[in-house]
Amino acid sequence: MSSDNTDISYDPADHYDRVMEAWALLLGAELHYGVFDSPDQPLVPATAQLTNLMIEGAQLEAGLRLLDVGCGSGAQACQLVEDFDIEVLGITTSQVGIDESTARAKSRGITGATFELRDATANGLPDNSFDRVWALESSHLMPNREAFVAEAARVLRPGGRFVMCDVVRLRDIPFAELRERRDEFALLRAAYGSARMEPIEFYADQARANGLVVDQVIDLSEPTYPTFQRWRENLELHREAVTPALGEQGVDEFDRSLAVLEGLWSENTLGYALLSASAPA
Ligand SMILES: C[S@@+](CC[C@H](N)C(=O)[O-])C[C@H]1O[C@@H](n2cnc3c(N)ncnc32)[C@H](O)[C@@H]1O
């Protein structure tokens, strides 16, 4: 039995609505892991580096229409419109995320980025309506990852590209081990919400099953590892500011979760990967 069977209650919308403000202080405006050149590099250039790898995978050109799946607080959507002169629709299940994203775009005078409350596993968008589908660290939060990839492929135009990155599972976790380590996994759920990690090969297989051609899979497990220490440092800096939103218990859970994640990374149970694929022209 794999960790795929460990899922519990699913409500990422509720989770993100609750944590977004505090997480901006802990994780930064870009709500994702960093890719570090060295263990002591600051977080902001490292999160930017992960976004840059996504940009390379997406092969952006002016005038394209991109769907940002799990748009967070709109940081990447705004950046992509400004830097590449493309049009972006950001979707998320978090109303707080929509409000923050919309405010961010408005404050920067960006009209090419719009945001809608939509579930990526049944997005309701027309077939063949995007040149790029981009999912930066959102897939692990979806209970139905097959539907997520199928929807991504469905809305892509022929010749379009799909690019995603996320926390991934590097090995099967036997049921006995899951049971033994249930406190660790419960702590991660408390800190990050319900998540189901898949191997990156799972996403590659789903992409192929939906007619896409996978052209790149990058293992980023090692360069993402320093992320946890940067989050720990941010927690020390902002402990007082984030406590009203997260609560004493939430702060403690976030703090303790970092050592758990470092352990899972070090033993090659969890890691991080990026995948890009194209829709045949
Ligand atoms: C770790 S954050 C990443 C945000 C952003 N991509 C970034 O890197 O800054 C995960 C995002 O996925 C969104 N999300 C979770 N489940 C979703 C779903 N089923 N459909 C759309 N978005 C979802 C969350 O609301 C959140 O915005």
Side-chain angles (χ1 to χ4, degrees), residues 10 12-13 16-17 20 23 27-33 50-51 68-76 91-94 97 118-122 134-143 166 272:
Y10 168 69
Y16 271 88
D17 283 351
M20 276 201 53
W23 275 21
L27 278 64
E30 298 211 58
L31 289 171
H32 59 239
Y33 283 61
L50 178 57
T51 303
D68 180 0
V69 172
C71 62
S73 55
Q76 294 90 44
I91 61 169
T92 170
T93 43
S94 163
R118 289 178 187 269
D119 186 331
T121 64
W134 158 296
L136 205 174
E137 215 173 289
S138 53
S139 54
H140 70 282
L141 297 160
M142 301 173 198
D166 213 336
Y272 206 99

Side-chain angles (χ1 to χ4, degrees), residues 21-38:
E21 210 180 313
W23 275 21
L25 293 171
L26 300 175
L27 278 64
E30 298 211 58
L31 289 171
H32 59 239
Y33 283 61
V35 170
F36 292 80
D37 291 336
S38 67

Side-chain angles (χ1 to χ4, degrees), residues 22-265:
W23 275 21
L25 293 171
L26 300 175
L27 278 64
E30 298 211 58
L31 289 171
H32 59 239
Y33 283 61
V35 170
F36 292 80
D37 291 336
S38 67
D40 53 359
Q41 191 185 18
L43 184 60
V44 172
T47 53
Q49 177 57 11
L50 178 57
T51 303
N52 286 339
L53 292 175
M54 286 284 286
I55 289 169
E56 278 171 28
Q59 299 176 12
L60 300 177
E61 294 157 27
L64 295 181
R65 186 165 146 79
L66 179 145
L67 178 65
D68 180 0
V69 172
C71 62
S73 55
Q76 294 90 44
C78 290
Q79 179 191 343
L80 297 180
V81 170
E82 285 180 328
D83 292 357
F84 295 95
D85 194 19
I86 62 173
E87 193 187 312
V88 177
L89 172 64
I91 61 169
T92 170
T93 43
S94 163
Q95 183 59 51
V96 173
I98 294 293
D99 296 345
E100 286 193 15
S101 300
T102 305
R104 186 189 296 275
K106 194 171 171 207
S107 73
R108 281 156 65 166
I110 294 170
T111 52
T114 50
F115 303 94
E116 294 177 5
L117 197 64
R118 289 178 187 269
D119 186 331
T121 64
N123 64 38
L125 295 163
D127 294 357
N128 305 328
S129 50
F130 291 89
D131 304 292
R132 301 290 183 267
V133 176
W134 158 296
L136 205 174
E137 215 173 289
S138 53
S139 54
H140 70 282
L141 297 160
M142 301 173 198
N144 187 344
R145 275 95 49 230
E146 288 90 343
F148 149 63
V149 181
E151 284 289 81
R154 182 183 64 75
V155 302
L156 261 187
R157 290 185 181 134
R161 291 184 65 74
F162 169 57
V163 57
M164 63 161 286
C165 62
D166 213 336
V167 178
V168 292
R169 180 161 50 81
L170 300 177
R171 66 174 176 91
D172 276 348
I173 309 175
F175 183 68
E177 182 182 343
L178 279 176
R179 203 173 38 196
E180 210 171 284
R181 303 179 73 175
R182 60 182 172 274
D183 291 349
E184 287 176 59
F185 293 112
L187 179 61
L188 295 184
R189 283 196 298 276
Y192 302 96
S194 292
R196 287 147 61 115
M197 315 309 175
E198 299 287 0
I200 195 66
E201 296 78 35
F202 165 87
Y203 293 105
D205 288 346
Q206 291 301 315
R208 289 185 197 102
N210 285 282
L212 304 182
V213 178
V214 175
D215 52 40
Q216 180 182 234
V217 172
I218 313 179
D219 179 0
L220 296 170
S221 304
E222 212 181 308
T224 47
Y225 182 80
T227 302
F228 308 118
Q229 179 56 22
R230 294 297 97 77
W231 290 354
R232 188 178 281 122
E233 291 158 5
N234 279 345
L235 180 59
E236 286 324 306
L237 272 178
H238 301 294
R239 188 177 280 272
E240 219 175 294
V242 299
T243 301
L246 299 184
E248 295 279 355
Q249 187 181 333
V251 168
D252 175 62
E253 285 163 350
F254 184 84
D255 198 0
R256 288 187 296 121
S257 75
L258 299 173
V260 171
L261 286 168
E262 282 169 338
L264 290 165
W265 245 249

